[in-house]
Amino acid sequence: RCVKNRYGSTNEIGVFEMTDEGLAEVENPSEMLLAGRPQNTPGNCAVCTMEGTRPLIAEIQALVSATAFPAPRRTSNGIDYNRLCLILAVLEKRLGLRFSQNDVYLNVIGGMHLDEPASDVAVAMALISSLADRAVPDDLIAIGELGLSGECRAVSGLEYRVKEATRLGFRRAVVPARSLEKRQIKAEIELIPIQSIFEILRLLVPQEKKEC
């Protein structure tokens, strides 16, 4: 489990893990958090969050299963419970997905707690992926905040997030279209701008093969 420790100025953040010899600083926390990530598995999506001025890539896992009880269970570890309920409400109202008939379990690997709303799109993609039983592409990372109307809002520090995703080997990044309108971002990976939650569905639907 990683532990965040603020030292020096408030913008500097160290990431530590507990070892047999005590706390040891992790030189590459993003790589550690993604270690052992399952491949081609539904309900799994990567996100890049900012801890101070340092970008960290975390893994979000969601499990959506049918419930036999009138009140479905909602469990969230690493994401604010009220934020989870808000995202579920947006997905149900705007996309017509029926999470009300399912138990929902959400977890952020490594003991991370994601406080910023820039993880909304990744949470939504993980939930839809688990419900539809279709995996999010392993080379794709999602960044963006969701509004109650289903719109994808701009986030800060997008250039730093994209650079970190590139360094970790991701090839595509779902980003808010409004963030790209404000400034030109040079990236070595494909940026997929979205304006609303409706546009992420095509990323989870397999493309039909054309007949020769």
Side-chain angles (χ1 to χ4, degrees):
R1 180 174 180 177
C2 64
V3 180
K4 295 181 295 182
N5 179 35
R6 297 182 182 270
Y7 58 93
S9 67
T10 56
N11 289 331
E12 297 179 355
I13 293 182
V15 179
F16 297 78
E17 66 176 342
M18 182 62 71
T19 66
D20 294 338
E21 300 178 354
L23 285 177
E25 185 172 5
V26 179
E27 296 181 358
N28 194 336
S30 294
E31 194 172 283
M32 182 199 72
L33 292 170
L34 291 179
R37 184 186 179 200
Q39 302 295 307
N40 195 31
T41 303
N44 186 298
C45 187
V47 63
C48 189
T49 182
M50 296 294 292
E51 296 291 345
T53 58
R54 185 174 191 173
L56 291 176
I57 294 183
E59 175 189 349
I60 297 176
Q61 290 187 339
L63 178 63
V64 180
S65 60
T67 182
F69 302 98
R73 186 173 183 180
R74 304 284 186 258
T75 301
S76 178
N77 182 26
I79 297 287
D80 181 71
Y81 176 81
N82 292 324
R83 197 74 191 173
L84 168 61
C85 293
L86 184 149
I87 295 173
L88 288 174
V90 171
L91 294 179
E92 287 191 343
K93 181 67 175 180
R94 304 305 175 190
L95 298 183
L97 302 177
R98 301 198 174 185
F99 289 96
S100 58
Q101 301 176 353
N102 297 274
D103 292 330
V104 175
Y105 303 90
L106 193 69
N107 182 46
V108 180
I109 299 299
M112 285 281 294
H113 187 83
L114 305 183
D115 298 319
E116 63 169 352
S119 59
D120 288 353
V121 172
V123 171
M125 292 189 70
L127 291 170
I128 297 173
S129 171
S130 181
L131 180 66
D133 200 28
R134 290 176 178 171
V136 177
D138 295 325
D139 63 350
L140 183 142
I141 189 169
I143 305 165
E145 175 184 356
L146 290 180
L148 294 181
S149 298
E151 76 278 12
C152 186
R153 312 300 291 265
V155 299
S156 61
L158 183 60
E159 188 171 358
Y160 299 105
R161 301 174 198 261
V162 171
K163 285 183 179 180
E164 182 71 1
T166 303
R167 189 178 67 84
L168 267 293
F170 289 92
R171 298 180 180 178
R172 293 181 289 170
V174 176
V175 299
R178 291 172 178 82
S179 292
L180 297 182
E181 292 174 358
K182 295 181 178 180
R183 58 179 302 181
Q184 294 292 331
I185 296 179
K186 298 180 180 179
E188 298 178 7
I189 62 177
E190 179 187 358
L191 299 182
I192 306 174
I194 63 172
Q195 295 183 350
S196 69
I197 192 68
F198 306 99
E199 299 178 45
I200 71 172
L201 290 178
R202 72 176 186 269
L203 301 174
L204 300 177
V205 177
Q207 298 181 354
E208 296 181 359
K209 296 181 180 180
K210 297 181 180 180
E211 296 182 359
C212 299

